[in-house]
Amino acid sequence: MSTAIETPRSTETLNYLNTKYGWKSWLFTTDHKRIAILYLISISFFFLLGGIFAMLVRLELATPAGDLFNSDTYNKLFTMHGIVMIFFFLIPSIPATLGNFLIPMMIGAKDLAFPRINLLSWYIYIVAGLIAVGTMAYGGVDTGWTFYPPFSSTYSRTYVVAAAIAVFVSGFSSILTGLNFIVTIHKMRAPGMTFDRLPLFVWAHYATSLIQLLGTPVVAITIALLGLERIFHVGIFDPAIGGDPILFQHLFWFYSHPAVYIMILPGMGVINEIVACFSRKRPFGYPFIAGSSIGIAVLGFLVWGHHMFVTGQSMYASLVFSLLSMAVAVPSAIKVFNWTATMYKGSIRFETPMLYAFGFIGLFTIGGLTGLFLATLATNVHLTDTYFVVAHFHYVMVGGMVLGYLGGLHFWWPKITGRMYPEFWGKLSALIVFVGFNFTFFPQFLAGYAGMPRRYHAYAPEYQVFNVMSTAGASVLGIGFTLPLIYLIWSLFYGPKAPANPWGAKGLEWETSSPPPTYNFDTPPVMNEEAYNYSGDDTGVHVG
Amino acid sequence: MTSHQVVPIKVYVAVWAALSILTMTTWQVALIDLGPFNIIAAITIAVVKMLLVVTIFMHVRQADSLTRLYVGAGFLWLVILLGILLCDYLSRSWIPGGQFWPSGPAMIVGG
C-alpha cells in the first residue's frame, strides 16, 4: 500500500503532479487541480458508458424491425444513455474539470474558496455515480431521463427510485460546485482583477453557477416528491390518486431547461478563450458577451413551458412561453455574432482547439436555430416527440458542448499535464468528429420532419435510409472520440514537454509554469492590463 | 468576508420557543374549520417561521449585502416558479366559447 511521500522522484521543477505521490495524496487532496483530474477521469468513464448505450441504440435502429432488443430493453437503453450523459457527463463536464482547474488560476487565486467542499462535491458525484451504475447492473430503468409520471410513479416496473436517488444525490455535487465558484469569483480575485477584466470563461462559469445554485434544488425536490408518490402513494402527480402530471413537468423543466444552459454556457466560455487566442484579438464586444451569459442564465428560467406545448397546459401560457423562448435566442445570437466579429480581420491560426471552435460555432448555430422551430407553437405540434427534437438537442449538446469540451481540453492540455499532444492527430480527430457528427444527426432532422417518432425500437421502413446514415455516422463519430483518448494518454508519456504558454495566449493561467505549482503561482499575481490584450502581440505558437 | 457577530444564546432560545409555539398554532388552527382561510393561516405561519430561521438562525440579518442579494434571488426564483405555474393553472379554463369568452362560437380545443 502506497503512502504520501513529500519528495519528488526527479530533479524536475515541483508542480502539483509531483509534490506528492500515492493514492492517498489523490483521494484526500484539496488541491482544485487534482480534484479536476479526479473529475476528468470520472466523467470520461461515464462518457464511455453513455456512448456504449448510444451505440446499442443506433445498432438497433439500423433496421426497421425491432430485431436486436425487445421494446423494454430498448426503453432502458435510451433512458440510461440519457441519464448517464446528462447528469453524469454533460452537467459536470466543463465546470468540474476545466472550470475547477482554471478558475482559481484565471483570477489569480491559490485555490477555490472552499477546497474541502470541492473534494466533497467529487465524493458526492462518485456516490451518485455508483448508485446509477448499480441501478443499471440490476436491470436499469425505462422511464426516459425525464421520469414523467404517472408512468414513473405508478406503472413502471423498473428501478425508478434507485435511478431517481442517483440523480437526486448528483444534484448536490452540482450545487456545491456552483456555490464554490460564486464565492471564489466574488472573494478571491487577485489585485487588479476587476469584473471587467475577468476572462469570459469565468463570466460563463459565474452564470452557470447561478443556474446550478437556483435551479438544482427544484429538481431535487421534484424527484423527492416523485419518490414519495411511488413509495407511499401520496397523490401529487398521478391523476388516479388526485395528482397532476403536468405539475411534474412544470417542476422538472423549471430546472431541466436551464440545465441545458448549465451544459452549454461553459462551452461558450471555452470558445471565447480559443477564438480570442487563435485570432490574436480581444473578443469583439466583451461587455455584451459577458452580459449575454448572465442574460441566458436569467431568461433561461422563463422558457421551460416550451417543452409542454402539447401536454394540456394553458394555451395562453404556451403563447407566453413561445415568445420568451424566442427572446432567449437573442443573447445566444449575440455570442455567435461576436465570435465571428472577433475573427474578422484576425490573424487566425488553424490549430486543433480552433478547429473544434469552428465546429462549435457552426453546429451550435444549427442547434439554436432549429430550437426556434420548436419554440414556434404550430411547428412544435408537428415536431414534438419526433427525431427532429433528438437532432436539435444533440446539435446543441454534442455539436456544441462536447466539441467545446474537446476544444478546451486540447487548449489547456499542455497547462494541465505539462505535455503537448500530437497536433496532426488532434486536427484529424477534430475533422472526423465534425464529419461523423453531421452524418449521425443531420439525417435525424429529415427523419423527424418526415414524422419518425422518437423512443421506438421499430419504425416504418421509409425511414430506414435516414437511420442507416445515422448509424454509419455514429461509427465514424465513435472513432473520432476514441482517437483523442488514445493520443492524449500517449502524450502523457511521450509528448514533448510544454512551455508555460505554448499558444501565446493571454490570461493569468498562462503566466505560471506547465504544469502549475501546487499553489498556482510562485508569487501572487497582479492583473495590470486589460483582459485579452493581444494588440501588438506577436508571440509565436509552439505546437507538438 | 461576513463579520462573525455572536448572537446571544437567549435570542436563539427565544426563536426556538417562537418556532415551537407557531408549530402548535399551526396544529390548533388546522382543527378549526375556517374554510379557505385555513390554508392562508397555515402559509402565513410558515412564512413567519421561515423568516425567523433565515434571519436569525442562518445569520442573514448580520450578513453583507451580497449574501442578502443571493438570499433574495432565491426567493425571487421561487416567485418566478410559482407565479408562472399559477398563470398556467389559472388560465387553463379560458377556452374560446367558455366561461371567460362570452362572445363567439363554442369550440373544443384540440377537437
Side-chain angles (χ1 to χ4, degrees), chain A residues 443-518:
Chain A
Q444 295 182 9
F445 277 127
L446 305 177
Y449 192 76
M452 179 174 168
R454 61 191 288 207
R455 294 181 167 174
Y456 284 88
H457 75 314
Y459 55 85
E462 60 262 35
Y463 300 122
Q464 187 175 13
V465 61
F466 303 120
N467 281 284
V468 168
M469 276 196 278
S470 193
T471 300
S475 309
V476 177
L477 190 58
I479 294 168
F481 286 147
T482 308
L483 274 176
L485 184 73
I486 296 168
Y487 67 72
L488 289 179
I489 292 174
W490 176 89
S491 77
L492 290 177
F493 302 98
Y494 307 108
K497 292 207 170 173
N501 190 0
W503 313 119
K506 294 291 179 182
L508 291 179
E509 81 271 27
W510 299 108
E511 293 185 8
T512 187
S513 55
S514 301
T518 299

Side-chain angles (χ1 to χ4, degrees), chain B residues 86-105:
Chain B
L86 281 176
C87 287
D88 169 29
Y89 280 90
L90 295 176
S91 64
R92 265 190 218 171
S93 59
W94 296 359
I95 297 169
Q99 185 186 353
F100 297 97
W101 200 279
S103 60

Side-chain angles (χ1 to χ4, degrees), chain A residues 161-388:
Chain A
V161 173
I165 289 172
V167 172
F168 179 86
V169 174
S170 77
F172 288 92
S173 166
S174 185
I175 292 169
L176 292 181
T177 300
L179 176 75
N180 225 336
F181 285 176
I182 287 172
V183 178
T184 303
I185 294 166
H186 272 290
K187 300 290 183 186
M188 299 185 67
R189 299 190 311 279
M193 181 57 80
T194 51
F195 265 89
D196 60 350
R197 287 177 174 176
L198 276 184
L200 290 163
F201 179 88
V202 179
W203 270 105
H205 275 78
Y206 187 83
T208 306
S209 303
L210 283 176
I211 305 173
Q212 288 175 306
L213 205 62
L214 295 167
T216 314
V218 177
V219 80
I221 293 165
T222 309
I223 287 171
L225 291 173
L226 185 75
L228 272 179
E229 180 165 291
R230 187 170 170 90
I231 299 168
F232 300 109
H233 307 292
V234 180
I236 302 165
F237 304 126
D238 184 354
I241 48 177
D244 178 10
I246 298 179
L247 176 63
F248 175 89
Q249 295 190 30
H250 273 299
L251 297 175
F252 180 84
W253 287 114
F254 181 78
Y255 163 76
S256 293
H257 189 77
V260 171
Y261 302 112
I262 293 178
M263 299 178 232
I264 197 68
L265 272 168
M268 292 169 160
V270 168
I271 300 307
N272 291 323
E273 303 300 317
I274 293 175
V275 167
C277 173
F278 292 102
S279 304
R280 322 305 299 170
K281 275 179 71 186
R282 191 171 198 266
F284 178 84
Y286 170 101
F288 291 93
I289 301 180
S292 65
S293 292
I294 305 298
I296 288 173
V298 174
L299 282 173
F301 274 102
L302 307 177
V303 301
W304 77 82
H306 67 224
H307 294 271
M308 301 164 57
F309 286 160
V310 300
T311 59
Q313 84 174 344
S314 155
M315 63 175 167
Y316 302 97
S318 293
L319 283 170
V320 175
F321 278 126
S322 175
L323 185 70
L324 289 168
S325 302
M326 301 286 176
V328 82
V330 174
S332 301
I334 286 173
K335 286 184 184 293
V336 172
F337 287 130
N338 284 19
W339 292 324
T340 48
T342 303
M343 286 188 270
Y344 178 65
K345 290 191 174 176
S347 178
I348 296 176
R349 296 166 193 265
F350 295 89
E351 307 302 342
T352 305
M354 191 62 167
L355 296 189
Y356 279 113
F358 282 135
F360 178 105
I361 295 169
L363 300 179
F364 172 75
T365 302
I366 295 173
L369 287 176
T370 50
L372 293 181
F373 291 34
L374 294 166
T376 308
L377 279 168
T379 48
N380 182 282
V381 172
H382 172 66
L383 296 170
T384 287
D385 278 343
T386 67
Y387 258 86
F388 190 93

